[in-house]
Amino acid sequence: MIQPLTEEKQFTRTPGSEGLIETQTLEVSIGPQHPSTHGVFRMDCVLDGETVVALKPVMGYLHRNHEQLAERMAWLGSMPYTDRLDYLNSMSNNWAYALAVEKLAGIKVPEHAEYLRVIMSELTRILNHSCVIGFMLQDLGAWGTPLLYAFRERERILDLFEAVSGSRMMCNYMRFGGVRVDMTSKDLAVAKNIVSRFPRFLDEFEMLLTGNEVLLARMQRIGILPKELAINASISGPMARASGVEYDVRKIDEYGVYGRLDFRVPVGNVGDVYDRYYIRVLEMRESIKILQQALHDIPAGPHVAPEVKLRNFKIPPGDGYGRIEAPKGELGFYLVSDEGGKQPYRYHVRPPSFINLTTLEDMCLGHKVADVVIILGSIDIVLGEVDR
Amino acid sequence: MEAIEKIKEVAAQAVPGAKLEIINSTPAAQQPALLVDRDHIYAVAKFLKEDPRFQMDFCSCVTGVDYLQKADNPGFIEVVYHLYSVAQKHGPIILKVRAPRELDQCRVPSLTSLWRGAEFQEREAYDLYGVRFDSHPDLRRILMWDEFTDHPMRKDYVPPADYEWEPTPHHDTLERTVQVGGITPPTAREELEKARKK
Amino acid sequence: MAIPILFVLSVFLGIFAYTTLVERKALGRIQNRFGPNRVGRWGILQPIADGLKLLIKEDIVPRRADQFVHFLAPVIAVIPSILLFSVVPVGTRLVPVDLNIGILFAFAVSTVSVLALFMGGWASRNKFSLLGAMRAVAQVVSYEVPMVLAAVAVVMAVGSLSTLRIARAQSGGILNVTNWFVFRPWGFVGFVLFTIGAMAESARTPFDIPEAESEIIAGYHTEYSGFKFALFQMGEYLASIAMAGITVTMFLGGYNGPGSGPGWVGGLISMFWFFIKLAFMIVLNIWIRGTWPRVRVDQLLGFAWKVLLPMSIANIVAVGMWHYLTFRPLAWVATTLWLVLWFVTLSKLAATENVAPRTYRYAS
Amino acid sequence: MAVDEGLRSELQKQGIFVLPFEQLYNWGRKSSIWPLQFGLACCAIEMIASAAARYDLARFGAEVFRATPRQADLMIVAGTVTKKMAPLVVRLYNQMPEPKYCIAMGACAISGGPFKDGYNVLKGIDRYIPVDVHIPGCPPRPEALIHAIMTLQRKIANQHLETENRLRWYDKNAETEFPIPSYGDHDLQPPANCEVWQPPRSYRDVTLDEVKKA
């Protein structure tokens, strides 16, 4: 009555196991519906007992043709679509696209608008990082508590976003040459309040988690990504910095007004999951510093460049690449304009979390199944951006 | 970081026989690119990666662009590489390589052996544009399913007809026309069932 | 005989139902939420609605599963858990069965439940189930050993395997409190060891790896729907409540507390104390669940064999010392020193991996 | 057998409460809706937010997100269903035990939403599985999801076991397993499940021609 589990399709023999006890490897498909794949991502794992011996990421389950749709509509038409790329932080996606178009069209952004962009983008960064840490600890099995704490903080920031832009998640806030609406003095006061309260939340969060022995034992020395591989595989953002790559687009390109703001870029030494966790905590603290300066220094002025006419907006033929340091890494837009110039001829997104997945297999090999999910969590993927 | 003319000159010396050409971007963007022929793209890229003056160790962005046939131009698929240097913190150098649009001839050498970061992006370009990257370690579709035969980002791709009817301002007029002419259009359901039987 | 059985079935099943509600409410409060409060006042009818719903859900058996074993597994999961309660003395006047091998019976019965987990995982013909089943077997088998050895310490001190005699041995002292074994050095260590073991045995966080949701979906009960799933949950919760009851009996003085005694009034007071302690253990479980991450399977097994097992053996030696050193102050000092020495040594030996707080630099 | 409404109210005045089995059954189901832990895209984040501190779906007893379809009662299709994902969504729905429900959360799940023009986007999950509650919005606010859950509770409370409007599970003729589309060369095969979804009459000849070709 008990049927043995022997089916050629499901199992293959481990090479080199002749003469020993007969063992078989187990092929498991983790995803697309799985609690810890952060959406519809799939990992085809081959397991030897609990140890991972091969792993292939499979994506495309959320490929919703963002690029092709953008090539069919006017330049401004894609702005709301960029919100839905990395749906945790729509503001920085807006900025990346606006920056690329401004580069291509040669638009100068007023200073007030640049400060507003910095404020929004850094708020997005702390929102993203706190949620990511929450998700990561959810994968560790911390039963929702850190995640829901992070979401409690997120609600405060989203309230501000809603007050300013009219939408909680999909803000559609930036325009070529500035932002859509100005922040009122009340909004700025709310932002200051959020910024002053955030370190307390962060301290509480860290007190709960950072020193926890289980957390240390689960995270340290897991999923190590060496520095050379990180650079070679185009890894960017907090993940690269955790591996010791001193590279931050905010410091290199000094886009916006980042050249004027005083902040530091934390860098890890080991490049394991714990470093990726802690680098994000440190980055949130630096973002708080940036926000304090930006909220203090923000000058008066127009919130959008008056000479930019968004109606019948055209760009002369040519191509250009603009990039920013999004919370997940280097987010770039490659745009090609041809004759007519009313809409992009080619519109390509360089998604950081898609490219950061390149080394997933290298990091996971030899670890246990339980580690795979936290390694994936530490990469910080959002499927809207991976698959576009 | 030298000007593009200087880079072209140095690269032409280092890789004899390479046909290099400068393609200018919009005046505002100021991102001129280096067009390299298919046979020498690997050598030029390798040179840029290893030469101490450039050290382009970070291949940021790889993508395809489909240029349709125009009056003076037979049309081609262009693969664009954006290179940066993490070691020297400069960039970008933009490399472009062109291949014919026909599926069987649309081949370029893969740069994955130089930069791991190009692996997924080249697979994506293959999936969406049908560019075959020679000596790519694992060239499969990445976004669409394996059974899919088209390359949907090409400009001449025809999407499947699965739109459903939506009320438009012209709906009433159409309805009236149908009634006056006595035509009853087959419902899409019947059509679908027919298609299913086939 | 009928009254104790009825008592066990009604009271402990009720406690099971409301443990789920308390757990959801408590987790909610830990996470800044309210938890269920719409179904009846304070959500008081929530477990009934859940039970009703699960009872009438479709029962799915995968087409290629082993039908008979698939059916049998949840039944086997729940019966031992109920049997466990038969040896838990609830009050001075209420013990379902006073077996003279009570502790032995409890361990024998509780181990049967692992069979159910393995049967469920194997019969489902699902890879996640199989992984969960393998993990469950490894975990329960390894935690059984330190748990039994921790109990051996108590058995040695009392000189009996009967749970009632163990509870009785902890009466007396000031307010019926000071004689609880948890207030002895070996008793305290035994309590900690046994609590950890019980948590692992009943697969509670941070040892919930057989059904680790973020890794293997739902482990061995991935393919179970409706009431069979409810039975698995019931078995798991009942086992953890019963283990909490045995912990209370062995270390926390059982039903003993201020005012407990052999009479009717004392008996009622003793029941009150028992349930208070039981509630404490349950809430402790929930609290840990709401705040701790999960350990990994190899860390879990390493912890069992490298730390808990030597510690529990050292604890048995400590009981021996306690027995032979009749001069109490000396016994206190000697056993405490002995246990602390072992604890320090083992924690040094266990900390071999490079796990340490780190410092970070900033890019220039 | 339903008790006559007049008789019931008359009995209630006398202090006798009649609780038909059906009502108890529906009360149990509606008070304990366990959703499948399954997020597709942007809306999934709002789904998590509605379970988090401020909105707290747990109040309705609906916070038990089960990771396995076997233990779930409700599938919240939260986000864009792509053609690559559609067969898997249908399969997940098939794997859920009856009685089961489906909420299409957000514009994408209803109709493809802003991505409707895409070649890989399914124009609404109701092409393959029956949807009980639609929530518009891109993404809908957490309040909207809570409202949808309450709407679903109302729907469950009004379902019958025997009459015309009975549960799918108690209807011998009703389909409970939905055919899973397969990946085709250009599109999913078939492009829609005619048993569940009947497209409105189309006047666009272009569409018809292309359907014929397919």
Side-chain angles (χ1 to χ4, degrees):
Chain A
M1 191 179 278
I2 296 169
Q3 298 151 333
L5 284 163
T6 47
E7 207 175 294
E8 294 82 5
K9 260 191 178 173
Q10 288 179 339
F11 296 101
T12 50
R13 285 283 291 276
T14 317
S17 65
E18 297 83 12
L20 303 167
I21 301 167
E22 190 175 319
T23 59
Q24 286 171 323
T25 54
L26 183 64
E27 273 178 42
V28 180
S29 164
I30 299 179
Q33 183 261 334
H34 188 274
S36 50
T37 49
H38 301 237
V40 283
F41 178 67
R42 183 151 77 96
M43 293 178 283
D44 275 348
C45 293
V46 180
L47 304 179
D48 184 5
E50 288 253 345
T51 314
V52 178
V53 292
L55 184 146
K56 286 276 171 258
V58 181
M59 48 199 97
Y61 292 100
L62 195 57
H63 177 49
R64 39 189 186 183
N65 336 117
H66 175 67
E67 293 179 2
Q68 199 188 52
L69 292 177
E71 285 167 22
R72 287 194 205 150
M73 60 183 78
W75 291 97
L76 189 61
S78 330
M79 189 62 92
Y81 284 85
T82 60
D83 290 336
R84 287 154 182 84
L85 265 182
D86 176 358
Y87 35 77
L88 271 174
N89 29 32
S90 57
M91 291 282 194
S92 44
N93 301 344
N94 283 178
W95 196 1
Y97 179 54
L99 192 85
V101 171
E102 281 153 13
K103 240 184 193 171
L104 204 58
I107 296 169
K108 188 105 179 60
V109 183
E111 212 164 77
H112 183 68
E114 292 278 26
Y115 271 95
L116 288 179
R117 285 179 173 188
V118 168
I119 290 167
M120 285 307 177
S121 148
E122 292 303 321
L123 278 174
T124 306
R125 193 182 311 276
I126 58 177
L127 184 156
N128 177 69
H129 283 357
S130 57
C131 285
V132 164
I133 292 174
F135 277 121
M136 203 154 112
L137 293 162
Q138 175 89 338
D139 296 347
L140 266 183
W143 244 93
T145 308
L147 179 66
L148 295 195
Y149 275 37
F151 265 71
R152 188 189 64 197
E153 277 332 283
R154 176 177 176 269
E155 289 292 339
R156 296 214 175 99
I157 298 175
L158 288 195
D159 279 350
L160 174 70
F161 283 0
E162 190 177 6
V164 176
S165 75
S167 175
R168 276 159 60 84
M169 274 173 81
M170 306 305 180
C171 300
N172 185 15
Y173 183 58
M174 312 226 172
R175 287 290 177 268
F176 311 136
V179 297
R180 198 176 77 229
V181 280
D182 203 352
M183 273 172 97
T184 60
S185 55
K186 197 178 153 205
D187 295 333
L188 286 173
V190 172
K192 271 178 193 154
N193 186 21
I194 290 171
V195 170
S196 63
R197 287 180 69 157
F198 198 78
R200 212 190 304 162
F201 158 73
L202 216 50
D203 292 339
E204 184 195 7
F205 208 76
E206 278 207 71
M207 203 162 69
L208 185 63
L209 294 162
T210 302
N212 186 314
E213 289 83 5
V214 177
L215 187 122
L216 291 178
R218 284 294 306 275
M219 280 186 168
Q220 292 200 345
R221 302 261 151 205
I222 296 296
I224 294 178
L225 178 67
K227 185 180 172 185
E228 292 69 34
L229 182 62
I231 297 175
N232 194 257
S234 307
I235 309 294
S236 55
M239 197 176 152
R241 288 193 283 278
S243 297
V245 182
E246 295 184 9
Y247 199 76
D248 188 322
V249 182
R250 289 176 293 176
K251 285 279 186 198
I252 306 292
D253 283 8
E254 299 198 336
Y255 62 95
V257 284
Y258 279 116
R260 270 181 245 170
L261 299 167
D262 171 41
F263 66 99
R264 299 174 298 174
V265 180
V267 177
N269 299 318
V270 185
D272 56 1
V273 173
Y274 184 80
D275 272 0
R276 274 168 238 147
Y277 157 73
Y278 208 71
I279 288 289
R280 290 199 169 97
V281 174
L282 292 174
E283 273 193 17
M284 277 194 268
R285 295 200 187 275
E286 293 300 316
S287 285
I288 297 284
K289 265 168 66 186
I290 298 177
L291 277 166
Q292 279 163 348
Q293 293 169 45
L295 285 167
H296 182 260
D297 299 345
I298 182 165
H303 65 275
V304 67
E307 71 274 10
V308 181
K309 295 283 174 283
L310 288 179
R311 180 165 299 197
N312 208 3
F313 182 80
K314 282 183 190 168
I315 294 181
D319 60 346
Y321 179 70
R323 57 175 192 163
I324 66 158
E325 179 73 27
K328 296 190 164 48
E330 179 191 326
L331 176 64
F333 278 80
Y334 175 65
L335 303 171
V336 179
S337 166
D338 70 345
E339 299 94 71
K342 275 191 177 174
Q343 61 199 51
Y345 184 75
R346 175 75 178 115
Y347 170 103
H348 175 71
V349 190
R350 184 245 190 244
S353 43
F354 173 64
I355 296 168
N356 288 357
L357 276 175
T358 311
T359 51
L360 181 65
E361 187 177 11
D362 304 57
M363 291 192 285
C364 289
L365 287 188
H367 287 303
K368 303 272 183 287
V369 190
D371 297 327
V372 170
V373 296
I374 57 165
I375 291 170
L376 184 71
S378 73
I379 295 176
D380 179 12
I381 57 167
V382 159
L383 265 294
E385 190 179 63
V386 172
D387 296 340
R388 283 149 293 147
Chain B
M1 182 82 190
E2 290 92 344
I4 191 85
E5 289 78 16
K6 181 84 170 55
I7 297 171
K8 183 190 167 194
E9 199 178 294
V10 175
Q13 276 172 10
V15 185
K19 295 185 207 61
L20 299 166
E21 192 184 321
I22 293 170
I23 300 180
N24 278 314
S25 148
T26 57
Q30 285 298 328
Q31 289 178 342
L34 209 55
L35 178 68
V36 191
D37 61 321
R38 281 196 278 172
D39 299 335
H40 295 95
I41 176 79
Y42 184 83
V44 171
K46 194 171 160 80
F47 165 72
L48 287 177
K49 188 191 172 195
E50 285 164 5
D51 191 86
R53 280 168 291 182
F54 302 113
Q55 277 191 305
M56 290 295 162
D57 49 7
F58 189 83
C59 175
S60 171
C61 177
V62 181
T63 183
V65 190
D66 180 16
Y67 290 98
L68 279 176
Q69 186 166 15
K70 284 198 185 142
D72 53 336
N73 195 334
F76 49 84
I77 299 248
E78 192 175 75
V79 181
V80 187
Y81 294 86
H82 283 79
L83 310 177
Y84 284 88
S85 170
V86 170
Q88 301 193 7
K89 301 203 169 26
H90 61 71
I93 293 179
I94 303 162
L95 292 182
K96 291 186 176 177
V97 58
R98 286 175 183 173
R101 289 192 78 249
E102 289 71 36
L103 273 178
D104 50 338
Q105 295 169 37
C106 192
R107 301 178 152 274
V108 294
S110 164
L111 300 190
T112 303
S113 49
L114 290 175
W115 295 287
R116 262 300 286 288
E119 183 185 342
F120 279 10
Q121 305 190 60
E122 286 182 344
R123 270 177 74 184
E124 188 195 318
Y126 162 67
D127 187 357
L128 301 182
Y129 284 95
V131 189
R132 294 203 159 268
F133 290 91
D134 294 328
S135 76
H136 187 285
D138 184 22
L139 197 66
R140 289 176 293 134
R141 284 186 178 272
I142 190 164
L143 293 178
M144 301 303 288
W145 55 87
D146 289 337
E147 293 87 349
F148 199 68
T149 48
D150 304 332
H151 298 287
M153 281 296 282
R154 288 186 166 227
K155 291 280 176 186
D156 53 359
Y157 167 72
V158 185
D162 58 351
Y163 297 101
E164 70 186 76
W165 173 83
E166 274 178 6
T168 62
H170 313 291
H171 173 64
D172 289 345
T173 324
L174 283 170
E175 187 106 314
R176 228 176 295 130
T177 324
V178 168
Q179 279 167 3
V180 168
I183 316 157
T184 34
T187 59
R189 181 184 174 173
E190 287 163 19
E191 295 296 328
L192 280 171
E193 272 170 359
K194 252 186 250 163
R196 210 164 150 201
K197 268 173 206 157
K198 273 178 205 169
Chain C
M1 198 64 202
I3 292 172
I5 290 173
L6 269 179
F7 182 84
V8 163
L9 283 182
S10 56
V11 171
F12 284 103
L13 288 185
I15 288 181
F16 151 68
Y18 280 91
T19 304
T20 60
L21 178 66
V22 169
E23 174 150 29
R24 284 165 75 172
K25 291 283 253 192
L27 278 178
R29 295 313 305 177
I30 288 172
Q31 299 165 354
N32 284 294
R33 300 185 284 117
F34 283 111
N37 66 359
R38 285 293 192 278
V39 189
R41 196 171 172 81
W42 308 303
I44 206 109
L45 298 178
Q46 187 69 53
I48 298 169
D50 285 340
L52 202 59
K53 182 206 73 178
L54 284 170
L55 187 62
I56 50 196
K57 279 298 260 190
E58 183 185 0
D59 170 41
I60 295 179
V61 182
R63 199 174 293 135
R64 300 203 297 162
D66 191 323
Q67 315 279 334
F68 181 62
V69 180
H70 189 271
F71 165 75
L72 209 56
V75 180
I76 293 189
V78 84
I79 289 175
S81 312
I82 295 177
L83 282 180
L84 267 178
F85 287 107
S86 60
V87 291
V88 179
V90 175
T92 43
R93 302 177 66 87
L94 192 63
V95 191
V97 191
D98 181 20
L99 279 181
N100 55 0
I101 49 158
I103 292 292
L104 195 62
F105 174 79
F107 285 122
V109 163
S110 76
T111 320
V112 173
S113 63
V114 70
L115 259 166
L117 309 194
F118 190 71
M119 280 161 73
W122 178 263
S124 299
R125 212 184 166 93
N126 177 313
K127 290 168 185 174
F128 290 115
S129 300
L130 191 64
L131 277 174
M134 293 190 319
R135 287 175 169 199
V137 172
Q139 172 172 340
V140 175
V141 167
S142 11
Y143 273 83
E144 197 77 9
V145 179
M147 230 171 93
V148 172
L149 290 179
V152 162
V154 175
V155 171
M156 279 168 70
V158 178
S160 167
L161 283 164
S162 154
T163 43
L164 195 62
R165 295 220 9 218
I166 291 172
R168 232 174 252 156
Q170 299 175 63
S171 63
I174 305 162
L175 286 175
N176 269 347
V177 169
T178 45
N179 275 2
W180 298 0
F181 287 150
V182 75
F183 300 124
R184 307 276 178 276
W186 52 269
F188 179 73
V189 172
F191 170 66
V192 173
L193 290 173
F194 196 84
T195 310
I196 295 175
M199 242 185 254
E201 173 105 3
S202 48
R204 302 280 304 177
T205 317
F207 306 113
D208 59 342
I209 58 165
E211 45 183 302
E213 195 179 70
S214 61
E215 295 155 22
I216 50 170
I217 313 289
Y220 54 86
H221 59 66
T222 305
E223 291 286 356
Y224 280 90
S225 67
F227 205 64
K228 286 182 182 166
F229 160 66
L231 283 181
F232 263 124
Q233 288 291 89
M234 193 156 117
E236 191 180 299
Y237 273 87
L238 283 178
S240 100
I241 294 168
M243 275 296 162
I246 289 171
T247 317
V248 167
T249 305
M250 290 210 302
F251 298 101
L252 296 181
Y255 49 70
N256 290 303
S260 68
W264 269 106
V265 180
L268 282 178
I269 294 174
S270 69
M271 278 169 72
F272 168 75
W273 283 116
F274 177 81
F275 283 111
I276 286 287
K277 291 173 194 173
L278 190 68
F280 167 75
M281 290 304 292
I282 291 171
V283 171
L284 186 75
N285 265 349
I286 295 171
W287 190 3
I288 290 174
R289 182 178 182 193
T291 42
W292 271 58
R294 182 188 306 125
V295 295
R296 203 172 57 214
V297 61
D298 55 329
Q299 290 166 348
L300 177 98
L301 299 184
F303 184 62
W305 294 109
K306 291 180 195 160
V307 180
L308 292 187
L309 183 65
M311 199 66 205
S312 55
I313 292 172
N315 201 30
I316 289 175
V317 177
V319 178
M321 285 157 76
W322 184 269
H323 185 72
Y324 284 108
L325 297 171
T326 42
F327 182 54
R328 276 287 162 259
L330 181 65
W332 267 93
V333 172
T335 46
T336 311
L337 273 179
W338 166 256
L339 288 171
V340 167
L341 180 77
W342 270 96
F343 177 72
V344 172
T345 320
L346 285 174
S347 48
K348 277 265 154 52
L349 284 175
T352 48
E353 294 189 40
N354 309 322
V355 173
R358 291 188 187 157
T359 51
Y360 289 87
R361 67 199 165 90
Y362 291 91
S364 46
Chain D
M1 190 63 212
V3 182
D4 180 47
E5 196 60 42
L7 177 64
R8 193 193 302 168
S9 65
E10 194 60 38
L11 282 170
Q12 237 171 50
K13 275 178 208 156
Q14 306 294 322
I16 301 166
F17 289 88
V18 180
L19 187 68
F21 174 70
E22 184 181 287
Q23 212 168 327
L24 184 72
Y25 176 70
N26 286 344
W27 171 80
R29 290 190 303 136
K30 86 172 197 197
S31 309
S32 147
I33 302 174
W34 292 0
L36 178 61
Q37 188 175 16
F38 165 58
L40 286 167
C42 331
C43 295
I45 304 290
E46 288 294 68
M47 188 169 83
I48 297 168
S50 62
R54 188 182 288 179
Y55 301 100
D56 194 16
L57 207 53
R59 291 174 292 146
F60 303 90
E63 96 281 26
V64 190
F65 281 89
R66 298 304 309 177
T68 154
R70 301 283 190 217
Q71 293 153 15
D73 314 310
L74 164 69
M75 182 156 90
I76 302 178
V77 183
T80 319
V81 187
T82 61
K83 285 179 184 167
K84 192 167 177 180
M85 191 63 198
L88 306 164
V89 176
V90 179
R91 183 169 292 150
L92 279 172
Y93 192 69
N94 283 344
Q95 284 174 345
M96 281 164 54
E98 291 277 0
K100 56 192 171 185
Y101 297 92
C102 174
I103 289 182
M105 182 182 183
C108 299
I110 295 174
S111 70
F115 299 97
K116 184 168 178 148
D117 285 345
Y119 50 87
N120 192 27
V121 175
L122 189 73
K123 279 90 194 159
I125 189 60
D126 54 358
R127 288 192 173 207
Y128 289 112
I129 56 176
V131 176
D132 294 286
V133 182
H134 297 262
I135 324 173
C138 187
R141 294 177 63 94
E143 291 98 324
L145 180 60
I146 290 173
H147 183 244
I149 297 263
M150 288 162 76
T151 312
L152 186 66
Q153 284 184 336
R154 253 200 315 281
K155 178 168 182 169
I156 293 173
N158 290 327
Q159 278 184 324
H160 300 292
L161 303 184
E162 288 186 329
T163 52
E164 294 274 298
N165 174 27
R166 68 186 148 198
L167 278 167
R168 188 165 57 224
W169 193 23
Y170 293 101
D171 192 347
K172 282 206 180 80
N173 305 319
E175 193 76 36
T176 52
E177 189 129 321
F178 298 94
I180 298 166
S182 61
Y183 294 132
D185 289 348
H186 308 284
D187 195 6
L188 286 180
Q189 289 300 334
N193 178 6
C194 302
E195 305 297 329
V196 181
W197 180 77
Q198 279 127 29
R201 282 148 64 98
S202 164
Y203 298 103
R204 292 201 299 188
D205 292 336
V206 185
T207 314
L208 288 176
D209 285 340
E210 281 169 1
V211 168
K212 268 178 203 157
K213 246 185 267 168

